[in-house]
């Protein structure tokens, strides 16, 4: 089980998500910017809304432009996000 990284991986949400959603759909074609976790690997990503509220999520699977995530990592709080909010892979 390893944590994965990618330089300058970012996207925007193709559709809004609730505070309990575990699938995040990215803008078409931008999923390829992110790693593809397998065999217990994962990466951490940061969701950012237009008011600069942040949430860190743990991505366990990426299928094209859809991320499967565990919400509210590293003492952040799960919240709703809207279409166009950003997601970034940060160190």
């Amino acid at each position: 089980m390893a944590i994965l990284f990618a330089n300058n991986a970012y996207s925007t949400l193709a559709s809004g998500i609730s505070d309990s959603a575990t699938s995040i759909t990215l803008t078409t074609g931008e999923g390829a910017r992110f790693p593809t976790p397998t065999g217990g690997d994962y990466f951490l990503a940061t969701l950012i809304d237009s008011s600069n509220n942040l949430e860190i999520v743990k991505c366990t699977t990426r299928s094209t432009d859809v991320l499967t995530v565990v919400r509210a990592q590293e003492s952040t709080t799960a919240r709703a996000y809207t279409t166009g909010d950003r997601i970034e892979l940060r160190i």
Side-chain angles (χ1 to χ4, degrees), residues 11-17 23-31 47 65-67 81-87:
S11 184
T12 55
L13 303 186
S15 59
I17 58 171
S23 289
I24 299 172
T25 302
L26 308 177
T27 299
T28 302
E30 294 183 355
L47 289 160
D65 296 322
V66 179
L67 308 179
Y81 291 87
T82 60
T83 302
D85 283 344
R86 289 181 59 90
I87 185 166

Side-chain angles (χ1 to χ4, degrees), residues 19-87:
D19 62 353
S20 61
T22 57
S23 289
I24 299 172
T25 302
L26 308 177
T27 299
T28 302
E30 294 183 355
R33 297 174 179 173
F34 293 85
T36 304
T38 59
D41 294 345
Y42 66 94
F43 64 87
L44 297 174
T46 303
L47 289 160
I48 309 118
D49 68 15
S50 60
S51 298
N52 287 321
N53 293 303
L54 304 175
E55 177 188 350
I56 298 171
V57 297
K58 179 180 179 179
C59 179
T60 56
T61 306
R62 181 181 68 81
S63 178
T64 313
D65 296 322
V66 179
L67 308 179
T68 301
V69 298
V70 179
R71 304 290 299 271
Q73 300 296 294
E74 298 191 12
S75 301
T76 60
T77 301
R79 58 186 343 114
Y81 291 87
T82 60
T83 302
D85 283 344
R86 289 181 59 90
I87 185 166

